[in-house]
Amino acid sequence: MAKKKKKRHLFGKKEFLFNIFSLIALILIGLYFGGRSFYYYSKQNMAKKVEAQTLNGLILQSNQTVTEGDGLHQDTDGYYFKGNVINNYVLFSNRLFRVIQINNDNSVKMASQDIVSTFIWGENESYHESNIYHWLEKTDNENSGIYYDTLPNPEKFLVKTVYSEDTINNEEIKASKKEYKDYITILGIHDYVLSNGKSGYLNNGKMYYLLGNDSENQKIYVEEDGSIQSCDSLDGYGIRPVITLKSNLPITGGDGTQNNPYVIDQGDTKNYIGSYVQLGNDIWRVYSQKDNILKLQLNDYIKIDTNPIMYHYSDYNSIFDLTDKKSLATYLNTAYLASLPYANVLLDINHNIGEISDDAGYNYFNIYKKQVSSKIGLLNIFDYHINYDLEEYYHINTTSEIGSMAYITSKNGLLKEADVKEEKPIVPVISIDLNILKSGSGSLESPYIMG
């Protein structure tokens, strides 16, 4: 009888059990590491999503870096825009800025798209003793920080901007060895040249001071054509603030274009400055807020139908004089005031009319040495200016108490003087209690209105 062949097993019993346990172990290890990979992948994607909802994150996501030409470039300090750029607009505190640079810590350096005032650098050529520095930044002087005060809770949203006073000579920049930090400054030579100068997005067709000097230690400014020129510290040019936003600030929308800028989410921080207010049929804009008092400038010239009313300042001097029956001051506070159906809500306030001149000095703190109280006034040359589509109108400052010249501003950012007998269009200012405003959002389409 033939012997039965023993059945051969592919695996022995022990080997079979080992393979089963090994397979289970491999599955468990795969699930563990797969789960961890999925977790970290999801976490990374979530981080990218969160970052993309911030200003710095969205800019980096929306722009590929380039090594030449227009666009977003990278260097050791971070990322910077150069050339003809159309998607670096940011709306912050009701005003438009242009992104200059994303620093390595993700903070975002920006320059005001337009000039915000036009005045004289000052008799002291040092930046930290200039009118500009004291006007922008809070210092020990109680009347300092005019622009700083237009920003609601600035230290909640800003970090200090690092800057230096560099020197330019035949388009070559000699960097200063000393750096400073302040919440607000103005455009420096390095930022302007890095943006590609007259061929870059910072050339807005306006005249404004740059921080720095030429090779002969004169002040410098940007001309209308975008070129850098030398000037005297007693010349009057536009002021263009620079601020740095904290890193990872969330935005509420926008794509960075001029008509649809990135909008910084400021939460419940209330800001009236820059807002539109409708009183009667007139549209005004808020240029100052202190406690519950809003100062407004007319968003147009005083007109009859569509024609601006032309009026001289005075017959003989540049003092805002309510006793001079033929002066602009008297016209505003009599005939014009009587024409306003909302005259009863206007407040009497003190207007600073101190002299800014060669005799009295070109220090902006001089304006606080003399006041006049009235319901209607004019913009001071040191006020925060909202609308640079308007020009050639008189300011309230006097150039001399015995002289016949008054200050006027051009839309290109040049501060000029005109004989007080010349007729000019009028941009009045008024003050109201903000509590009378009961509805509206403050936009041009939906201005604040009285209840």
Side-chain angles (χ1 to χ4, degrees):
M1 232 176 118
K3 290 184 179 179
K4 273 188 178 182
K5 289 185 178 180
K6 289 184 178 179
K7 196 182 256 187
R8 297 186 63 189
H9 296 281
L10 289 175
F11 303 107
K13 188 174 181 180
K14 290 183 179 179
E15 190 177 2
F16 177 76
L17 291 174
F18 174 79
N19 287 339
I20 289 294
F21 285 123
S22 297
L23 180 61
I24 292 171
L26 286 172
I27 291 172
L28 291 174
I29 291 171
L31 288 172
Y32 174 76
F33 285 104
R36 285 182 65 84
S37 297
F38 179 76
Y39 168 76
Y40 285 114
Y41 175 78
S42 300
K43 187 175 181 180
Q44 185 179 33
N45 273 356
M46 182 62 70
K48 287 181 178 178
K49 184 177 180 181
V50 170
E51 185 180 80
Q53 293 170 346
T54 65
L55 179 60
N56 49 280
L58 191 56
I59 289 175
L60 294 179
Q61 179 180 294
S62 303
N63 292 271
Q64 290 187 337
T65 55
V66 297
T67 56
E68 57 183 27
D70 301 339
L72 187 66
H73 293 247
Q74 186 175 14
D75 64 11
T76 55
D77 294 323
Y79 299 87
Y80 65 94
F81 281 106
K82 180 178 181 180
N84 183 23
V85 180
I86 62 172
N87 64 337
N88 64 341
Y89 290 88
V90 175
L91 188 67
F92 173 67
S93 293
N94 291 338
R95 65 204 77 180
L96 205 57
F97 289 87
R98 303 297 293 273
V99 173
I100 300 172
Q101 180 174 316
I102 300 176
N103 300 314
N104 284 326
D105 63 357
N106 284 329
S107 59
V108 181
K109 187 178 183 180
M110 309 190 301
S112 174
Q113 162 62 9
D114 206 348
I115 54 181
V116 298
S117 195
T118 299
F119 54 79
I120 298 157
W121 179 285
E123 294 172 316
N124 194 318
E125 296 188 355
S126 166
Y127 173 66
H128 291 94
E129 298 297 329
S130 70
N131 290 327
I132 300 174
Y133 176 74
H134 290 284
W135 187 84
L136 292 172
E137 189 74 10
K138 278 291 188 186
T139 67
D140 292 337
N141 192 298
E142 64 175 337
N143 293 313
S144 66
I146 299 297
Y147 185 80
Y148 180 95
D149 287 337
T150 69
L151 300 171
N153 296 332
E155 294 178 29
K156 179 179 178 180
F157 300 99
L158 305 183
V159 294
K160 290 188 174 183
T161 298
V162 178
Y163 65 95
S164 60
E165 295 183 73
D166 301 329
T167 302
I168 188 166
N169 183 19
N170 295 325
E171 299 185 356
E172 290 187 8
I173 301 175
K174 181 181 178 181
S176 172
K177 295 180 180 179
K178 193 168 185 178
E179 288 187 337
Y180 304 93
K181 289 183 179 181
D182 283 303
Y183 282 108
I184 310 167
T185 182
I186 58 172
L187 269 172
I189 301 171
H190 178 75
D191 290 327
Y192 187 71
V193 172
L194 200 64
S195 74
N196 214 23
K198 65 191 305 182
S199 298
Y201 63 93
L202 289 175
N203 176 14
N204 63 359
K206 303 291 179 68
M207 304 164 75
Y208 54 88
Y209 275 111
L210 281 182
L211 180 59
N213 303 287
D214 66 10
S215 58
E216 297 180 358
N217 207 36
Q218 288 185 298
K219 309 324 296 178
I220 55 175
Y221 74 100
V222 174
E223 251 294 351
E224 286 180 274
D225 65 359
S227 62
I228 298 175
Q229 302 291 336
S230 301
C231 65
D232 190 279
S233 67
L234 297 184
D235 294 334
Y237 296 109
I239 310 302
R240 203 165 173 190
V242 169
I243 60 175
T244 302
L245 294 176
K246 290 181 177 180
S247 63
N248 301 319
L249 287 182
I251 63 171
T252 61
D255 60 13
T257 57
Q258 186 170 9
N259 292 327
N260 189 26
Y262 298 122
V263 180
I264 300 300
D265 184 0
Q266 294 183 253
D268 57 358
T269 301
K270 190 69 172 178
N271 179 31
Y272 284 93
I273 292 175
S275 299
Y276 294 86
V277 175
Q278 182 172 347
L279 301 175
N281 293 322
D282 299 323
I283 298 295
W284 300 77
R285 288 192 76 182
V286 181
Y287 70 90
S288 175
Q289 176 183 352
K290 188 173 183 180
D291 300 324
N292 288 332
I293 305 302
L294 301 181
K295 293 182 180 181
L296 319 174
Q297 75 160 78
L298 191 64
N299 199 45
D300 201 346
Y301 306 116
I302 296 176
K303 292 180 177 180
I304 296 179
D305 296 326
T306 58
N307 300 312
I309 293 175
M310 307 297 285
Y311 213 93
H312 67 287
Y313 194 91
S314 170
D315 282 341
Y316 52 90
N317 66 26
S318 58
I319 300 174
F320 194 78
D321 187 0
L322 294 168
T323 66
D324 179 0
K325 294 182 179 180
K326 295 183 179 180
S327 71
L328 179 56
T330 298
Y331 164 74
L332 289 173
N333 287 279
T334 54
Y336 178 65
L337 178 63
S339 74
L340 302 178
Y342 46 87
N344 62 308
V345 303
L346 306 188
L347 304 176
D348 273 299
I349 67 161
N350 283 331
H351 302 277
N352 299 303
I353 62 170
E355 184 177 339
I356 303 296
S357 70
D358 187 49
D359 292 332
Y362 289 98
N363 186 321
Y364 103 82
F365 294 122
N366 289 344
I367 67 173
Y368 299 98
K369 293 181 178 180
K370 188 174 182 180
Q371 289 84 31
V372 62
S373 178
S374 65
K375 290 185 183 295
I376 303 180
L378 300 170
L379 284 167
N380 203 298
I381 62 171
F382 296 107
D383 280 325
Y384 171 54
H385 291 190
I386 297 289
N387 189 346
Y388 267 92
D389 289 332
L390 307 176
E391 65 170 345
E392 299 293 313
Y393 54 86
Y394 284 115
H395 292 294
I396 203 167
N397 311 86
T398 177
T399 61
S400 171
E401 293 194 359
I402 59 173
S404 61
M405 304 297 289
Y407 289 110
I408 60 172
T409 296
S410 298
K411 67 169 62 176
N412 64 2
L414 180 65
L415 182 66
K416 301 190 298 185
E417 295 180 5
D419 190 285
V420 294
K421 293 181 181 179
E422 293 182 39
E423 292 189 339
K424 299 290 182 183
I426 311 165
V427 179
V429 300
I430 59 174
S431 296
I432 61 172
D433 187 323
L434 68 81
N435 291 309
I436 71 171
L437 304 178
K438 301 300 183 183
S439 61
S441 66
S443 67
L444 182 58
E445 296 74 23
S446 176
Y448 293 120
I449 59 176
M450 294 188 294

